[in-house]
Amino acid sequence: MNDIPVYLLQDYLPEGAEDFYILDCGPIAQEHATLHRHDFYEFYTVIRGEFVDECNGRKTPMQPRATHIARPQDAHRIYCADPASGGLMRNIAVSAAAFEARFAALCADDERARKKLADYFALKDETFADYLLKSENALLHYPARAARFILGNLLDSVLIERFAMPDDTAAPPWLKRLVRDMRIPDNFVLGLE
């Protein structure tokens, strides 16, 4: 275990940047993916294609919208299931201090939330659309202060969806549609005929 390389955030940050780093990862072949750890958190989301994340000895397939938060203690490697597919994954690295501050502000001392950090999840449609728009903007302007602010906002959005919003994944489709339709103003303003 001691021979696993540890990547340092400071090695990736350009001059003047702090706390956040963003990059797109293309279709990495399995034989080129290196098992590693890092001194930072990273959250990555599949944009297109299918990836496999090997984290702490467990292989997890990741489809578009799939997201994972790798913690500093995790040993992992990520590769594209089919490198010829043109897969794309967006990776955002966050200093441990910045991540822990934001996580603590939302979850305080919630041990269940801390354990849930290791789980994989899919961003909901609205969050994924927002993630794409803001992360593209951050990529275009990184390392400017505005881009770093956007990356902090993206992290907050992901943490809020993951830890503060009710989990409705177990709800049946008809109930999800009903709840969505209840938000349409005409359905509650006009009432029944």
Side-chain angles (χ1 to χ4, degrees):
M1 272 295 208
N2 290 339
D3 57 342
I4 297 174
V6 176
Y7 298 156
L8 307 176
L9 184 59
Q10 69 186 20
D11 293 339
Y12 295 95
L13 294 176
E15 181 131 357
E18 56 189 43
D19 293 330
F20 292 97
Y21 179 73
I22 183 171
L23 79 147
D24 278 350
C25 300
I28 305 162
Q30 183 175 358
E31 60 270 14
H32 298 298
T34 305
L35 186 67
H36 64 278
R37 287 191 163 94
H38 24 73
D39 70 342
F40 52 89
Y41 286 82
E42 68 180 335
F43 66 101
Y44 37 91
T45 301
V46 175
I47 306 300
R48 68 175 178 263
E50 183 177 323
F51 285 78
V52 176
D53 189 14
E54 290 182 17
C55 187
N56 300 325
R58 187 176 119 209
K59 290 183 180 181
T60 303
M62 297 180 69
Q63 307 283 333
R65 296 187 310 128
T67 302
H68 187 231
I69 299 170
R71 304 160 300 175
Q73 70 266 28
D74 293 333
H76 76 118
R77 71 183 189 141
I78 307 164
Y79 52 89
C80 198
D82 176 11
S85 69
L88 180 66
M89 180 182 56
R90 190 148 296 147
N91 185 345
I92 301 174
V94 185
S95 72
F99 185 94
E100 288 293 339
R102 286 176 135 88
F103 185 76
L106 182 64
C107 298
D109 296 325
D110 187 346
E111 269 311 302
R112 286 188 338 212
R114 187 155 296 282
K115 289 178 182 172
K116 197 174 175 181
L117 265 176
D119 297 342
Y120 293 78
F121 58 100
L123 294 178
K124 295 177 180 161
D125 292 340
E126 302 86 15
T127 307
F128 185 61
D130 188 55
Y131 177 88
L132 288 175
L133 179 68
K134 289 179 179 173
S135 63
E136 285 289 333
N137 201 334
L139 275 167
L140 288 172
H141 300 290
Y142 186 82
R145 180 172 297 169
R148 296 192 317 263
F149 185 83
I150 290 169
L151 294 174
N153 180 266
L154 282 173
L155 174 60
D156 292 343
S157 294
V158 168
L159 291 175
I160 287 167
E161 179 173 306
R162 185 69 179 134
F163 298 104
M165 303 299 283
D167 184 8
D168 66 355
T169 55
W174 66 267
L175 182 57
K176 291 179 187 179
R177 276 192 308 277
L178 177 65
V179 169
R180 184 188 65 231
D181 289 348
M182 286 173 51
R183 294 183 184 131
I184 298 171
D186 287 350
N187 289 342
F188 58 85
V189 173
L190 297 177
L192 294 173
E193 292 181 7

